[in-house]
Amino acid sequence: MSDNFVFSETDHEYMRRALALAERGLYTTLPNPAVGCVLVKNGKIIGEGWHHRAGEPHAEVMALRNAAERNLDVKGATAYVTLEPCSHYGRTPPCALGLVNAGIFRVVAAMKDPNPLVSGRGFKFLADAGVCVSWGLYENEARELNRAFLYSIVNGMPYVTIKYGMSLDARVALANGESKWITSEASRRDVQRLRARHQAILTSAATVVRDDPSLNVRWPELPEAVRELFSEDPGITPFRIIADPDNAITLKEKLFQCPGKVLIARTGAGDAVTEERISDSVSVVKVPAREDNPRHISFRHLWRYLDSINIRNVMIEAGRGLVSDVIRQNTANEIVVYMAPKIMGSDAVPAFGALGLSSMAEVPELVISDVAAVGSDIRITCRFKEGACLPE
């Protein structure tokens, strides 16, 4: 097999459709990737599908089922799929085998799967069975679609996003602590969308004690474009993680009354993360402390633990203390800022705490990847340059 492939205009058209289908699974597939598949025969789409939820059939199987429901013969068809078909048995049978058994003639994939269980093996299995295989069509778009999954697979830690709502002068609360509401209702709905795309939400005990948040995904508050993807509330429930080095959490807080699992992260002795289950939904994890500060947990250790339980991405919703600590420990990938056209003044609370920098060479550099208007606010997505959140 060669990596040098030529794709036609129709190949581009059908792969764009496959990518659009894959997007439908972004809220429910993790820890699996979001994948779309389109089956084409004689210039017509005869089946299409996407991976709906982890543990359920993959996109290729859904597309084959769709064709069968329409009584259409897939033998000799081309399958356009946004990720290399799997060749191993997991919770579902290998998709590569399903495509071969169905008589698929050609497979066009957007990209190879970096998962060691798959990488290249799916393509080889197909080629060995006589299927014409090519890949690399819209690879950048496919990578962007599953950047959290891909980052986690390659680096062994979740993709970490910091979320902030702030004023134009980067303030998150007045001097008296009042912060409701700096940003618009549209921004708050968009935050619900962000939460729904994350497997875990991390906050600090200080934030929980002060604000008593639920940190859940509230279906009625999701943007309409998201709710239209589902016939009913799919029950998206991210893990809630509370950094609680001072044992301030009482278990009576509001978020413990909401569905879903809660992890309370406290500092512990030794080099390993240990877990103590309090109930079916609540656990305390003891995380090694930072070497330079025994009161602060090592986020790198916490991220490794979360990866071990298949958490691919984490969103941080917390105050400047925890956020600045994560940045100081070089363990963040992205910051999403909702900036309101308001000025709160130097006596208001700044978004970031001290980072202990002594030269411009130490200043973390980010790249703006997206800017969008959300209601009356601006949403800015920035990604840390290479060097952030890399394994040691």
Side-chain angles (χ1 to χ4, degrees):
M1 294 183 293
S2 169
D3 285 15
N4 298 316
F5 304 107
V6 177
F7 300 104
S8 68
E9 288 186 13
T10 54
D11 288 337
H12 284 76
E13 175 188 348
Y14 295 131
M15 186 59 77
R16 286 195 297 269
R17 175 57 183 165
L19 287 165
L21 290 168
E23 284 188 35
R24 296 178 67 89
L26 281 175
Y27 299 91
T28 51
T29 60
L30 287 172
N32 289 356
V35 182
C37 180
V38 174
L39 303 178
V40 178
K41 187 175 180 179
N42 298 327
K44 294 183 179 180
I45 294 177
I46 60 171
E48 56 184 28
W50 67 95
H51 184 35
H52 288 220
R53 190 183 292 269
E56 296 182 4
H58 290 184
E60 297 91 328
V61 174
M62 298 300 291
L64 291 170
R65 286 183 181 179
N66 180 241
E69 290 168 357
R70 298 159 66 181
N71 294 315
L72 297 175
D73 182 12
V74 302
K75 189 174 182 179
T78 295
Y80 294 87
V81 60
T82 57
L83 187 67
E84 177 182 359
C86 62
S87 56
H88 66 287
Y89 284 86
R91 285 190 280 183
T92 59
C95 295
L97 176 61
L99 294 173
V100 170
N101 289 341
I104 295 298
F105 170 75
R106 179 186 180 219
V107 170
V108 180
M111 61 174 291
K112 288 183 178 180
D113 189 338
N115 187 339
L117 294 173
V118 180
S119 187
R121 298 179 184 179
F123 291 150
K124 185 178 186 304
F125 181 92
L126 292 166
D128 288 348
V131 179
C132 179
V133 179
S134 56
W135 65 86
L137 179 59
Y138 287 118
E139 179 173 355
N140 289 340
E141 288 79 359
R143 288 187 174 278
E144 178 65 18
L145 190 70
N146 283 306
R147 67 180 181 275
F149 170 82
L150 298 173
Y151 182 88
S152 173
I153 287 292
V154 172
N155 294 293
M157 59 175 65
Y159 189 94
V160 178
T161 296
I162 296 168
K163 186 279 297 181
Y164 251 144
M166 62 176 67
S167 63
L168 194 63
D169 52 346
R171 305 289 156 164
V172 295
L174 297 175
N176 63 7
E178 184 180 348
S179 61
K180 291 185 178 180
W181 294 103
I182 295 174
T183 55
S184 66
E185 181 181 352
S187 287
R188 296 195 293 277
R189 285 183 175 273
D190 199 60
V191 169
Q192 290 292 314
R193 177 190 63 84
L194 266 187
R195 284 184 185 175
R197 286 196 177 190
H198 284 78
Q199 282 181 280
I201 310 295
L202 172 70
T203 192
S204 66
T207 296
V208 172
V209 170
R210 182 183 67 246
D211 299 336
D212 198 20
S214 297
L215 294 179
N216 58 348
V217 174
R218 296 183 285 277
W219 172 256
E221 296 178 29
L222 282 167
E224 185 176 349
V226 176
R227 287 184 281 121
E228 287 177 347
L229 296 175
F230 306 94
S231 58
E232 59 183 3
D233 182 352
I236 301 169
T237 53
F239 276 65
R240 274 75 51 80
I241 306 168
I242 308 169
D244 183 29
D246 297 323
N247 295 2
I249 294 300
T250 66
L251 304 184
K252 297 179 181 179
E253 291 81 8
K254 186 188 300 181
L255 61 81
F256 292 99
Q257 316 308 318
C258 299
K261 295 185 177 181
V262 181
L263 296 179
I264 303 171
R266 293 170 174 157
T267 53
D271 296 326
V273 177
T274 60
E275 179 181 355
E276 177 188 354
R277 188 177 296 276
I278 295 177
S279 68
D280 289 342
S281 60
V282 180
S283 294
V284 173
V285 288
K286 295 293 184 69
V287 183
R290 285 173 49 189
E291 292 184 1
D292 60 338
N293 191 332
R295 288 191 59 257
H296 288 218
I297 65 173
S298 165
F299 284 104
R300 196 172 297 275
H301 280 85
L302 179 59
W303 299 159
R304 294 288 193 195
Y305 168 76
L306 293 177
D307 180 79
S308 76
I309 59 173
N310 285 327
I311 299 296
R312 304 289 190 198
N313 62 359
V314 177
M315 184 168 80
I316 297 175
E317 293 193 61
R320 58 177 178 164
L322 187 149
V323 167
S324 300
D325 200 18
V326 169
I327 294 173
R328 278 195 300 268
Q329 293 186 45
N330 195 33
T331 60
N333 298 93
E334 181 176 275
I335 299 179
V336 178
V337 172
Y338 294 86
M339 184 168 286
K342 298 174 182 177
I343 297 173
M344 297 171 66
S346 63
D347 56 337
V349 179
F352 300 95
L355 296 179
L357 306 176
S358 58
S359 72
M360 286 301 297
E362 298 174 336
V363 174
E365 289 192 59
L366 297 93
V367 176
I368 296 176
S369 61
D370 182 67
V371 178
V374 181
S376 58
D377 305 329
I378 297 293
R379 184 188 68 217
I380 305 173
T381 303
C382 304
R383 295 177 183 168
F384 286 88
K385 285 188 174 182
E386 289 185 16
C389 208
L390 294 180
E392 292 178 339

